[in-house]
Amino acid sequence: MKSADKNDAPTAPASAAADYMRNFKNIIAPGAESSMTREFKPQVAYEFERYLNPQKLKHHVLKSEKLASLLEYYAQQTQQPLKQLQQQAQAIIDEIGLDRNMAIIRWCGIAITAIGKRICDGIYVNSASMANVRKDMGRCPVLYLPSHRSYMDFILMSYICYYYDIEIPGIAAGMDFHSMFGMGTMLRKTGAFFMRRSFSNDELYWDIFREYMYALVAHYHIGVEFFIEGTRSRNFKALVPKVGLLSMALLPYFTGDVPDVMIVPVSVAYERVLEEQLFVYELLGVPKPKESTKGFFKALKIIDERFGKMFLDFGEPISVREFFGHNGGERIRRAGISGSLQKLNRQEIDLVKQLATEIIYQQQRRIVISTFNLLSLYYASQLYGQRSVNIDELSRGILHLKRIFEQLGAHVSVSAKSIKADVIDAVEIHSNIVQFRVARLQFTPLAAEQLAAKIDMRRLKAHALSPATMAVAVPMLALQLYINPCLFWLARPAYLLLAALKQQRQQRSDISLGSYNETLAALHSHVATMDALFQHEFIVESNREAVEFETHLKLLLDEQVLHLDESNGNVKVQDNECSRVILAALAPFLCLYYQLALALRQWTHRGEFSSNELLVRVQQHVELLLQAPGAAAAHVHPYCLALDNLNIAILSFVQSGYLVKNRESGLMSIASNAPDKCLRQLELQLHEYCQLMPFTQYSTAASEQAQSHMAKL
């Protein structure tokens, strides 16, 4: 187990990348399946002389001195009888606590194997990285922290632990699952413990949950799994980490109750995500259905569809003690503080935030890039340039992208030997998004019942988009979702490329050129500006900026995108396939931020407004632009309608000072007293970046296809 190396440069030659992909084993291949009736003698996460069972764990929490002192405190504060508070505590612990029933676990395993074989082309696990995790187990508590793109993530981790004879971890689950008839009990008996989405002002619940989590980490042997992003990412890219659960899980380390904590970042990638269409409609404002047992069984209709391959990889285990650089003295001094009413101090919270960002970074580094990810990216770059593509052009473009991504250090599941067959298979799996027509790739038109579907207006999250808008937006958003995992690798190269385009424009208007070092400094500055603007959009902060800048500069030089004259610092940018692909990945986000700034400036409303009012305003603004004749409006992409990303952009505007948020009411207003935070200046800056793009209209082809289809209907 090692601490994360912050100077580790993400580079990997093609041969090493191919060797790495050979470590993935299909655990549901014929003959490779695990027997769910075999004796289960797992490696425990944390070894003790005597082990608690789930009931004894709850009893341990209820009878602890920590909880006793807490209940006495609340009895004094609320004037409630101590016995009544003890009964409340018992009920809360029963609501939270996990259970274990091997018969149910085995039955679930059999069901997962059967369903997996029917809908998947394989569940591929990096057996080498799993062995690396297993060898370090036993000495301290283990936290498994997977990326979160699907509800399948809950199931897969437990299934894989059983397969590799590792104790199935306790899994943090939301109360929406708890309330599902039958499902809540089944999940609990397979190791789920439940937490409310919001503790609100219920301080007793908060403290009891924290004590249960403390005991689960410090005194239980099975390991703990939770999602550091807090929720599924509906846009298939990493979210800003939530540090609440991680802070609770690390409290036993900070108090000195455990010698260390082992963090295992887990990367889960799906060739096709089960909830893909649900996410697209949610992003456009259509509310998701409430989780229910009936809905679960209704969702089983997916067994008639294909979802391709699933990939799971395990990052190098992170030693919390080594990552924080502790020698033990800091925690010994802190452990002397009396009782359990300890909470993390500001310095410790800052350390946890740094660790959380590193975990997200390691998760993204190991997410496998599929054929359809690269197909989507290449197709978008051609689509924005008003060009159509056939299978030969797609195959060549995908293999070119494979080389680029492997040079950056990504793991790509594309085989040059079977590229055409793989492209045909990827299109078949995603036939709800794209299809070949007359030998050219096109969007698949929405079915008539989708366009005519009734939406409950009372539950609508923002503006009611018209069927014509939905016909264009749905396929383009679906395509963008599969491009988004690539942004971890391409966001900063895109920043650098835009910086070079901006520098080239400035040099053309300024006859006196500077030096090579001055040009590099200017490029660094432009990249840092965009890093700050998109800091909540792309979670790439990693204290590796200098190393990554050199890696990305080398890529652009090798691909003949950039030429830097070392004698005078002159920059030349070549418009080629590589540059268009890189900029196509970033373009929808740049358009979204620009249209948000534009919509705010043009809004006649003055004074305070709610987040929902702003979302409605922006969606109305974008829809009008998309409906312009011939989709001729510039710098607008259907992705500008995506609510999750609009909320991220709004957060960025607030934290950057362009919007002011009232802490008490939650209402916002445009900043007016900060000259350096002028929204108009931001709009002009974003417009300049949009103009540097080799694209102007983004939805012309999709709009033409949608109009033709709707005319037939």
Side-chain angles (χ1 to χ4, degrees):
M1 182 167 57
K2 300 187 293 187
S3 62
D5 184 359
K6 296 185 181 182
N7 296 311
D8 180 31
T11 58
S15 58
D19 290 342
Y20 190 89
M21 290 306 299
R22 280 192 278 271
N23 290 326
F24 284 87
K25 172 186 175 184
N26 181 6
I27 64 173
I28 60 170
E33 313 98 318
S34 177
S35 169
M36 291 298 160
T37 57
R38 65 179 168 82
E39 187 177 9
F40 186 50
K41 290 186 176 179
Q43 166 66 55
V44 298
Y46 192 17
E47 294 174 354
F48 295 93
E49 290 186 10
R50 298 178 65 184
Y51 294 105
L52 300 175
N53 61 31
Q55 297 306 316
K56 288 182 178 178
L57 176 66
K58 290 197 288 188
H59 186 266
H60 173 87
V61 175
L62 283 167
K63 299 301 178 183
S64 68
E65 291 183 12
K66 294 183 176 186
L67 193 58
S69 62
L70 277 171
L71 294 180
E72 287 175 6
Y73 168 79
Y74 281 111
Q76 292 175 0
Q77 293 294 312
T78 64
Q79 301 299 307
Q80 292 184 66
L82 182 60
K83 188 171 182 179
Q84 182 179 337
L85 286 170
Q86 289 171 340
Q87 290 172 344
Q88 287 182 35
Q90 177 72 64
I92 291 171
I93 288 287
D94 288 339
E95 177 186 285
I96 296 169
L98 59 77
D99 203 351
R100 180 62 56 91
N101 184 308
M102 282 307 300
I104 291 178
I105 289 171
R106 293 179 193 279
W107 180 87
C108 288
I110 292 168
I112 293 166
T113 303
I115 294 172
K117 282 176 170 288
R118 179 152 180 170
I119 70 173
C120 299
D121 296 336
I123 299 174
Y124 287 81
V125 179
N126 188 326
S127 53
S129 65
M130 174 52 100
N132 186 48
V133 169
R134 200 179 195 280
K135 71 178 175 59
D136 284 329
M137 285 185 168
R139 297 192 290 268
C140 65
V142 177
L143 304 181
Y144 303 94
L145 303 183
S147 56
H148 198 17
R149 305 293 176 267
S150 170
Y151 282 144
M152 277 293 292
D153 302 332
F154 284 99
I155 302 166
L156 285 175
M157 194 62 215
S158 298
Y159 184 78
I160 288 162
C161 283
Y162 183 95
Y163 187 94
Y164 285 97
D165 284 314
I166 292 173
E167 187 62 79
I168 296 168
I171 307 170
M175 290 301 293
D176 39 4
F177 291 105
H178 179 274
S179 59
M180 292 170 64
F181 176 74
M183 291 297 296
T185 300
M186 186 185 76
L187 288 172
R188 189 190 300 277
K189 289 184 179 296
T190 58
F193 62 97
F194 295 94
M195 63 179 292
R196 298 174 188 173
R197 292 289 185 190
S198 172
F199 298 157
S200 188
N201 294 321
D202 192 342
E203 294 183 8
L204 177 62
Y205 179 90
W206 170 271
D207 283 326
I208 291 175
F209 184 90
R210 190 177 59 182
E211 295 307 327
Y212 185 82
M213 178 65 107
Y214 192 105
L216 195 58
V217 173
H219 305 296
Y220 209 44
H221 61 284
I222 66 172
V224 180
E225 175 191 350
F226 57 89
F227 302 104
I228 198 166
E229 294 167 283
T231 186
R232 291 174 298 169
S233 171
R234 284 182 285 262
N235 50 38
F236 296 7
K237 63 183 182 61
L239 303 177
V240 175
K242 307 290 192 298
V243 298
L245 270 182
L246 184 60
S247 298
M248 281 191 250
L250 294 184
L251 187 57
Y253 166 76
F254 283 112
T255 59
D257 263 9
V258 298
D260 197 358
V261 175
M262 184 169 103
I263 305 279
V264 182
V266 184
S267 306
V268 188
Y270 299 89
E271 194 166 359
R272 180 185 170 196
V273 175
L274 275 67
E275 302 97 324
E276 163 205 290
Q277 286 298 298
L278 181 66
F279 287 166
V280 170
Y281 281 92
E282 281 189 64
L283 287 172
L284 292 171
V286 180
K288 73 171 183 175
K290 190 179 188 309
E291 280 84 6
S292 66
T293 307
K294 181 180 177 182
F296 169 76
F297 285 109
K298 186 178 178 182
L300 287 178
K301 67 180 182 181
I302 64 169
I303 63 175
D304 295 324
E305 300 182 39
R306 283 186 65 203
F307 290 88
K309 297 173 182 176
M310 301 177 186
F311 293 91
L312 284 96
D313 201 356
F314 298 83
E316 182 70 34
I318 300 172
S319 159
V320 169
R321 179 174 52 80
E322 291 180 22
F323 184 89
F324 291 158
H326 286 165
N327 58 19
E330 301 92 336
R331 294 187 304 123
I332 291 170
R333 288 193 295 274
R334 194 183 192 286
I337 301 172
S338 134
S340 62
L341 300 177
Q342 297 188 41
K343 294 183 181 178
L344 300 189
N345 59 40
R346 174 49 55 189
Q347 182 183 8
E348 290 164 341
I349 290 171
D350 288 342
L351 287 173
V352 172
K353 287 179 178 178
Q354 292 173 26
L355 175 61
T357 301
E358 179 65 26
I359 292 164
I360 293 285
Y361 180 88
Q362 295 298 341
Q363 286 176 349
Q364 292 183 93
R365 279 208 63 192
R366 286 177 171 80
I367 285 179
V368 172
I369 302 297
S370 71
T371 300
F372 194 72
N373 292 136
L374 299 186
L375 182 151
S376 300
L377 178 57
Y378 184 77
Y379 179 49
S381 72
Q382 300 301 303
L383 194 70
Y384 302 160
Q386 319 307 321
R387 289 186 290 272
S388 63
V389 287
N390 60 30
I391 190 168
D392 292 321
E393 292 163 335
L394 275 172
S395 300
R396 181 190 55 76
I398 290 169
L399 290 179
H400 184 196
L401 290 181
K402 171 182 164 72
R403 292 194 298 274
I404 290 172
F405 275 79
E406 287 179 344
Q407 182 176 339
L408 291 172
H411 307 310
V412 184
S413 66
V414 172
S415 171
K417 295 178 181 178
S418 58
I419 183 61
K420 286 190 180 180
D422 290 348
V423 168
I424 292 169
D425 195 52
V427 171
E428 182 182 312
I429 290 169
H430 296 88
S431 59
N432 60 314
I433 303 174
V434 290
Q435 61 186 10
F436 283 110
R437 296 192 66 182
V438 198
R440 317 297 287 186
L441 194 67
Q442 290 188 8
F443 284 120
T444 302
L446 290 187
E449 57 268 24
Q450 287 178 281
L451 291 171
K454 298 285 185 183
I455 298 171
D456 184 352
M457 303 299 290
R458 294 169 300 177
R459 297 184 61 222
L460 201 64
K461 293 182 181 178
H463 172 57
L465 299 169
S466 70
T469 302
M470 295 291 279
V472 176
V474 169
M476 289 199 72
L477 258 69
L479 190 78
Q480 185 62 38
L481 294 189
Y482 288 97
I483 296 172
N484 285 350
C486 302
L487 265 299
F488 171 73
W489 301 102
L490 296 186
R492 279 183 169 158
Y495 301 164
L496 178 55
L497 184 47
L498 279 175
L501 286 164
K502 186 172 182 176
Q503 191 69 12
Q504 178 180 254
R505 177 180 286 184
Q506 289 175 348
Q507 288 178 348
R508 284 173 179 170
S509 61
D510 184 1
I511 299 174
S512 60
L513 296 173
S515 68
Y516 177 75
N517 287 335
E518 286 173 339
T519 297
L520 285 182
L523 294 177
H524 267 291
S525 176
H526 291 318
V527 169
T529 298
M530 298 201 76
D531 245 338
L533 180 63
F534 291 113
Q535 63 178 306
H536 303 293
E537 198 71 61
F538 311 118
I539 315 303
V540 293
E541 178 191 350
S542 57
N543 297 316
R544 300 171 174 87
E545 290 85 351
V547 174
E548 289 187 354
F549 182 90
E550 295 300 323
T551 301
H552 301 151
L553 182 60
K554 182 179 186 304
L555 171 72
L556 297 180
L557 292 171
D558 290 348
E559 290 291 326
Q560 298 181 357
V561 174
L562 286 191
H563 174 75
L564 274 177
D565 192 324
E566 295 189 10
S567 64
N568 59 14
N570 189 38
V571 178
K572 289 184 180 178
V573 181
Q574 179 67 38
D575 179 15
N576 62 19
E577 185 172 274
C578 177
S579 68
R580 285 177 170 264
V581 164
I582 290 173
L583 293 175
L586 184 65
F589 299 90
L590 199 55
C591 288
L592 184 147
Y593 278 61
Y594 169 62
Q595 294 300 338
L596 173 60
L598 185 61
L600 277 165
R601 180 177 63 82
Q602 293 179 349
W603 200 4
T604 55
H605 176 90
R606 285 295 176 262
E608 292 188 322
F609 47 85
S610 68
S611 175
N612 186 256
E613 287 172 329
L614 180 53
L615 292 174
V616 170
R617 162 63 187 160
V618 176
Q619 282 198 326
Q620 289 173 334
H621 164 82
V622 170
E623 183 172 44
L624 283 173
L625 294 175
L626 291 173
Q627 290 176 348
H635 315 312
V636 60
H637 189 289
Y639 201 61
C640 299
L641 297 166
L643 296 182
D644 284 23
N645 292 86
L646 282 171
N647 279 319
I648 292 170
I650 291 168
L651 173 65
S652 176
F653 281 25
V654 170
Q655 295 207 346
S656 299
Y658 297 106
L659 292 175
V660 179
K661 189 169 186 177
N662 186 311
R663 290 188 177 183
E664 293 182 2
S665 67
L667 297 176
M668 290 177 285
S669 59
I670 297 172
S672 57
N673 299 323
D676 60 329
K677 295 299 180 183
C678 174
L679 194 62
R680 175 61 174 161
Q681 290 177 354
L682 175 63
E683 179 197 330
L684 292 173
Q685 180 187 19
L686 290 166
H687 185 250
E688 180 185 9
Y689 284 131
C690 287
Q691 287 184 313
L692 291 171
M693 286 282 178
F695 324 108
T696 305
Q697 282 83 30
Y698 293 88
S699 59
T700 303
S703 180
E704 289 173 355
Q705 290 178 33
Q707 287 174 10
S708 173
H709 174 63
M710 292 184 73
K712 292 175 184 177
L713 293 177

